Amino acid sequence: MQKILVIACMWVLASCSGMRSLLIETSRPAADMLPDGIRSLTLMNRSMSPDYDNMNADSLQALFYSKRFRASAWILDSLAADTVLLSLGDLLYSSGRYDVVVPQMRNILRLRNFDVTPTPLFWSEVRQICDEFKTDALLVLETYYGKITANCKTFNNYSGAATVMAGIESQYKAVVRIYDPKQEAIIRQIVVSDTLVWEERTPVGGEITVGGNGFGITLPVIPGTAELNSALSRTIWRLPAIKQCVIESAIDAALAIDGHLSPEWGRETRKYFLLKNEDSMVQEWASTGNWQAAFDFWRPYSTQGSNAVRAKALFNMALATEMLDDVDAAINLARQSMDTNVSRHAEQYIRQLESRKAIIEQYKANK
C-alpha cells in the first residue's frame, strides 16, 4: 500500500569528498487528502441542468460585442463543466496518489437550478457505480457554473492622453462531494470559487505642442468617435476570446479542487557516505529504487571497523530506511550514528527526519 509521504525521482549529484548528494522528490499530504483506504475514484458530473449547452465561441463573442463590451452574463457551458471533471481526473491520477476512472457516460441527471447544490445521491446508486467501475469511492461534481463580466472605459492617463481600457472577469463556483459506499458517508465536500481577470489598455490619438522657443507645452489630441472605436476594437482584439476565458476558468477550478486532495511535491536533498568503492552500485540502486539492496550492503559495515566507519554505515542505513518509508526506524538509526561518532551531517539529517515525522503526525491527527 502506498504510504502517506512518497519519495520518488532520485538523482545522484556530486558532493564533497567522501560523500554524495541525492536530489529527491517528497510529497506532503494535502489538507483534505482522502483516507488510506480510498485509493481509487470514479468521477461523475451532476452539475449540468437542461439549461447547459456547449456555447458557440463566435456567438458568445458576438453577444458581448453587441453590448459594446459592457455586459455581464451567467455562462452555463457544458464543455466547461466537462473540462472541470476531465482536468480533475488527469490531475488526481498524475499525483500518483489515486487511480481514477472517468466513465464515457459520466453525466448524472440534474433538475435543480444551476446555482443550487442538489441533495446527496442515494447510497444504492453510489454502490452501483462503484461496483460497476471497481473503485473505492465516488467523486461527483455537484455544481459548476460561471459568470462573465466584460467592461471597457475611456480615461485620461497620467500625461493627460486619452486611453481605452477593456477587461474580462470570469467568476466560477464548483462544489464536489466524495461518497464512500462502505461507510455510507460523504467523506469530503469541497467548495471552490474564484475570479480570473484579463485586462488591456490602448492610448488614443497623439499629442501636439503649443508654443515655441523651447517654452512649448504638450497637450493630448482630443480623439473623435472613429478614433475611440478603433482603439476599442484593437484593445478587445488583444484580450482572449470569451470562450477561452470560460475554459481557462474551468481548468483553474480543477486545479483548486486537486489542491485539496492531491499531495504536494517538493524537492529535498539527502546525502550518504562513500564506503569502499560502491559509488556506482549505489547510484544504480538509487535510480531503480532498490534501497533494500543498499541497506543490506551497508549493514555489515555498521558492526565492524572504527567508530567513524560504523557511524557512516548507520547514517547510510538510515537513508535507505527513509527511502523505504519507515521514518521512525530511520530516526533511530540516525541517532545511533550520532551516538557512535558525533557528526554535523547526522545532526542535520535527524532534523530533516523529525520534520517529516511531524508532517505525518499532523496529517494523521487531521484525518
Side-chain angles (χ1 to χ4, degrees), residues 159-172:
S159 65
T163 302
V164 169
M165 181 180 72
I168 300 172
E169 293 185 0
S170 178
Q171 300 172 264
Y172 68 78

Side-chain angles (χ1 to χ4, degrees), residues 24-155:
I24 66 173
E25 288 188 349
T26 61
S27 61
R28 294 172 175 261
D32 296 313
M33 201 161 81
L34 301 183
D36 290 341
I38 305 295
R39 312 302 304 180
S40 56
L41 297 166
T42 301
L43 272 58
M44 302 287 284
N45 197 335
R46 198 187 182 195
S47 67
M48 291 185 281
S49 67
D51 298 324
Y52 279 66
D53 188 23
N54 185 2
M55 304 179 76
N56 180 272
D58 293 336
S59 300
L60 192 58
Q61 199 73 15
L63 171 65
F64 284 87
Y65 278 153
S66 68
K67 305 292 184 181
R68 295 187 57 80
F69 229 64
R70 295 184 179 92
S72 183
W74 295 107
I75 305 297
L76 308 182
D77 190 272
S78 59
L79 179 60
D82 199 46
T83 297
V84 175
L85 197 77
L86 294 176
S87 300
L88 179 58
D90 287 341
L91 290 166
L92 292 171
Y93 180 76
S94 298
S95 75
R97 170 61 174 78
Y98 306 103
D99 291 324
V100 174
V101 176
V102 183
Q104 185 174 0
M105 305 296 291
R106 52 185 169 268
N107 295 332
I108 299 175
L109 178 65
R110 177 197 180 99
L111 299 177
R112 302 294 299 272
N113 291 342
F114 69 89
D115 59 340
V116 177
T117 302
T119 56
L121 294 170
F122 292 112
W123 289 109
S124 58
E125 185 176 4
V126 172
R127 279 192 296 274
Q128 180 182 350
I129 293 171
C130 291
D131 289 345
E132 179 180 356
F133 297 104
K134 297 179 174 58
T135 56
D136 300 320
L138 172 65
L139 183 152
V140 179
L141 179 62
E142 302 277 9
T143 298
Y144 182 76
Y145 59 88
K147 186 178 185 180
I148 292 287
T149 299
N151 57 78
C152 66
K153 64 180 181 179
T154 304
F155 64 97

Side-chain angles (χ1 to χ4, degrees), residues 190-344:
I190 299 168
V191 181
V192 297
S193 61
D194 205 348
T195 302
L196 278 61
V197 178
W198 295 264
E199 189 177 277
E200 292 287 347
R201 303 183 181 198
T202 304
V204 184
E207 297 176 332
I208 59 173
T209 301
V210 180
N213 300 323
F215 296 99
I217 58 173
T218 300
L219 298 174
V221 172
I222 300 175
T225 302
E227 290 173 300
L228 286 172
N229 286 340
S230 173
L232 176 60
S233 296
R234 284 182 282 127
T235 306
I236 295 174
W237 181 258
R238 293 200 304 274
L239 288 168
I242 300 294
K243 182 78 169 187
Q244 180 183 342
C245 296
V246 170
I247 298 303
E248 287 189 22
S249 299
I251 295 171
D252 192 77
L255 287 165
I257 297 166
D258 178 69
H260 285 265
L261 296 170
S262 292
E264 178 184 354
W265 289 89
R267 291 187 176 182
E268 297 183 20
T269 301
R270 296 290 188 267
K271 295 180 180 180
Y272 65 91
F273 290 96
L274 296 177
L275 299 177
K276 302 296 183 180
N277 297 315
E278 86 288 5
D279 191 26
S280 61
M281 289 187 297
V282 175
Q283 289 190 42
E284 181 180 352
W285 292 329
S287 63
T288 59
N290 190 3
W291 287 102
Q292 187 61 54
F295 182 93
D296 294 339
F297 178 86
W298 285 320
R299 174 185 274 173
Y301 294 102
S302 68
T303 58
Q304 61 189 27
S306 65
N307 286 351
V309 170
R310 289 189 288 113
K312 290 177 181 179
L314 288 164
F315 182 98
N316 291 358
M317 290 164 63
L319 170 66
T321 303
E322 184 195 7
M323 297 300 112
L324 293 169
D325 243 352
D326 192 340
V327 176
D328 287 333
I331 291 174
N332 184 44
L333 285 166
R335 286 175 176 163
Q336 289 182 48
S337 173
M338 188 73 174
D339 292 340
T340 303
N341 193 49
V342 176
S343 163
R344 63 181 178 85

